[in-house]
Amino acid sequence: MNRQLQIHMLTLCLLVLLTASCKQDDCGSPAEYSSEMIVFTSPYTLTRSDALRYGSFRSGDKVGVLGFCKAENGGMNYSSSPWNTKKVFCIPEVFYNQQLTYSEAGLWTYQWNEVGHVENLHPWYNDPEYTYSFFAYYPYAEIADDGLGTIHNQNRVSMGTVRISGKEVKGDPTITYTMPFEGSGELDWQLVPDLMLAYKIDHQMNDGPVGLNFRHLLCAFEFKVNNYNLEVVTISSLKVSGNNFYKEVTVKGQQSGYDIGTGRYSGTFDVLSTYNEKGFVCPPGEKREGSDEVIPATVSITTDGSVGPEGDPVDLLFIPNEHGKLTADDNESLYLNVTVDGYQKDVSMNLKDATFKAGVRSIFSINIVGNDIYLQVETDGNWNDGGDSDISFE
């Protein structure tokens, strides 16, 4: 057992001991509630997957949660029934857009200060037979009374909107994300979040902490350079453009897929927009000792321009339709455009024959061999179905 897992298990044990030691009389919880608290966890090695942006959740990341339990109809109490039986009588009375904050080792913290709170956390109801269902989304947005909220980055710039079903709406909740782009023009890839959803149904108090396993709704483009030459090369321009990208996505309850709305946007993503016009510099390859063979220098294009493992890869995130297409014209207008200083200029790659899958990263390789440039795209990541879509040209 590694040290991180030991810490994780110790933390959970402390939480259990804390809840067991807190009695109703000294914690202020009314008889309706148990003395045990609702606690959330996520597998810290399987959350924000390497298949898309970054890796694991980071300290301070926030998600929103809706929680359901009580259900009554015609004088009958269905609170102990399975979700799919009682949901038509349920509203999110346990949590409505409750903010959870990621701490460490897969643990989420939150503040709940309503009547019956225990140490600023929500206790379970006193009946251990009651079943609970939770629906979560990332990243968190403050929601107005109409169910609409705006996701903001650290500079308070909009990253799109989230709309969730209302506090009094019964049944499976709906969550809709809408991209922040309007019309057409230059697009900032940094304004699209790594949208994720999770749910846990029919959880009971004696099941312990609520595990939230998140899935990605968007697909990702990442880029790397393979330099087979013995001199430094500079990528001075790298852009992705298209017409009528899909703009909004809606998920209802436990829906395994999603529905695409009518909104569209067009324009160009400048992958190197954070490089202050200096371009991305790739180091030279190395000649294998005793041979004319060149071992290529292979580096990912990162957000900070670094060529080491410390840099986060640049990710362009899109909504694919059920056929794996990103635009309403089936990728006819979807192009990758690359300029390598001192080599071919303004090289374009049309992606009409390529398909993409939600939750899967596609790696675009820029291969520089002598004076020739070859482009290739292939899928990667934990949800890869084994099929590669390779396109290359000179």
Side-chain angles (χ1 to χ4, degrees):
M1 181 181 296
N2 62 41
R3 180 172 178 80
Q4 187 178 24
L5 183 57
Q6 289 177 324
I7 294 173
H8 178 58
M9 295 182 65
L10 177 61
T11 305
L12 289 178
C13 289
L14 290 174
L15 284 171
V16 172
L17 289 173
L18 176 61
T19 58
S21 66
C22 181
K23 304 300 182 182
Q24 290 183 18
D25 292 341
D26 56 21
C27 291
S29 177
E32 178 185 8
Y33 293 109
S34 163
S35 61
E36 297 188 23
M37 302 173 288
I38 300 176
V39 177
F40 295 92
T41 66
S42 286
Y44 53 86
T45 58
L46 298 174
T47 49
R48 202 193 285 171
S49 168
D50 288 335
L52 293 187
R53 203 172 275 183
Y54 304 133
S56 62
F57 276 108
R58 293 178 175 177
S59 180
D61 282 343
K62 295 176 172 58
V63 302
V65 173
L66 288 79
F68 300 75
C69 179
K70 288 187 174 181
E72 295 183 1
N73 184 57
M76 297 291 292
N77 187 349
Y78 293 93
S79 301
S80 300
S81 299
W83 171 249
N84 288 326
T85 298
K86 72 177 185 178
K87 63 184 179 182
V88 292
F89 311 126
C90 272
I91 63 172
E93 97 291 351
V94 179
F95 292 124
Y96 183 75
N97 200 42
Q98 174 64 50
Q99 177 181 290
L100 307 183
T101 302
Y102 189 77
S103 55
E104 60 181 15
L107 296 175
W108 297 95
T109 64
Y110 66 94
Q111 294 285 318
W112 190 79
N113 300 311
E114 305 298 325
V115 175
H117 71 85
V118 178
E119 297 291 334
N120 296 319
L121 298 178
H122 197 311
W124 302 99
Y125 291 122
N126 212 20
D127 190 333
E129 298 300 317
Y130 278 10
T131 58
Y132 300 75
S133 293
F134 302 94
F135 300 84
Y137 71 92
Y138 169 90
Y140 174 81
E142 294 183 3
I143 299 296
D145 291 339
D146 63 356
L148 182 65
T150 300
I151 300 171
H152 292 101
N153 65 11
Q154 60 184 3
N155 297 319
R156 301 299 296 173
V157 177
S158 172
M159 300 180 73
T161 62
V162 168
R163 182 181 291 277
I164 61 178
S165 46
K167 293 181 180 180
E168 302 301 321
V169 175
K170 296 178 180 179
D172 284 318
T174 58
I175 300 176
T176 298
Y177 168 71
T178 303
M179 296 274 193
F181 310 119
E182 297 288 345
S184 61
E186 294 295 322
L187 307 171
D188 187 349
W189 58 268
Q190 299 176 91
L191 297 182
V192 182
D194 183 3
L195 180 67
M196 291 187 289
L197 298 182
Y199 68 85
K200 179 69 173 180
I201 65 169
D202 300 334
H203 189 93
Q204 293 183 316
M205 174 174 61
N206 292 334
D207 293 332
V210 180
L212 296 176
N213 294 285
F214 284 86
R215 67 180 174 106
H216 303 270
L217 268 73
L218 307 183
C219 67
F221 285 10
E222 291 185 7
F223 307 89
K224 69 179 180 181
V225 182
N226 298 307
N227 182 15
Y228 288 83
N229 294 341
L230 299 178
E231 63 272 358
V232 169
V233 297
T234 300
I235 309 294
S236 58
S237 178
L238 178 56
K239 297 182 179 182
V240 174
S241 60
N243 295 325
N244 294 314
F245 289 106
Y246 298 113
K247 183 176 179 177
E248 59 189 41
V249 56
T250 298
V251 173
K252 184 174 183 178
Q254 306 161 66
Q255 183 179 2
S256 58
Y258 48 74
D259 297 320
I260 293 176
T262 58
R264 303 287 185 267
Y265 69 94
S266 302
T268 299
F269 291 95
D270 183 355
V271 177
L272 303 182
S273 59
T274 61
Y275 283 63
N276 298 319
E277 300 182 354
K278 68 180 180 179
F280 181 81
V281 178
C282 181
E286 296 182 1
K287 183 173 290 188
R288 188 181 298 276
E289 185 176 354
S291 170
D292 291 333
E293 180 185 357
V294 175
I295 303 172
T298 300
V299 293
S300 294
I301 295 182
T302 57
T303 56
D304 59 2
S306 64
V307 296
E310 68 276 7
D312 287 324
V314 167
D315 281 292
L316 274 59
L317 300 175
F318 301 95
I319 300 171
N321 69 12
E322 60 181 342
H323 304 296
K325 302 299 184 179
L326 309 184
T327 64
D329 63 3
D330 289 335
N331 291 356
E332 289 282 348
S333 61
L334 186 59
Y335 280 87
L336 172 67
N337 300 281
V338 182
T339 299
V340 182
D341 286 359
Y343 296 84
Q344 300 181 43
K345 297 290 184 179
D346 302 323
V347 178
S348 296
M349 175 183 183
N350 181 247
L351 299 175
K352 66 180 181 179
D353 295 325
T355 58
F356 307 96
K357 187 177 179 181
V360 175
R361 171 183 59 184
S362 293
I363 306 296
F364 288 82
S365 296
I366 304 169
N367 303 296
I368 305 170
V369 185
N371 292 320
D372 296 323
I373 303 171
Y374 301 86
L375 297 186
Q376 182 183 45
V377 56
E378 59 184 354
T379 58
D380 191 13
N382 291 342
W383 298 279
N384 183 8
D385 60 6
D388 293 341
S389 175
D390 296 342
I391 304 173
S392 61
F393 62 86
E394 296 183 12

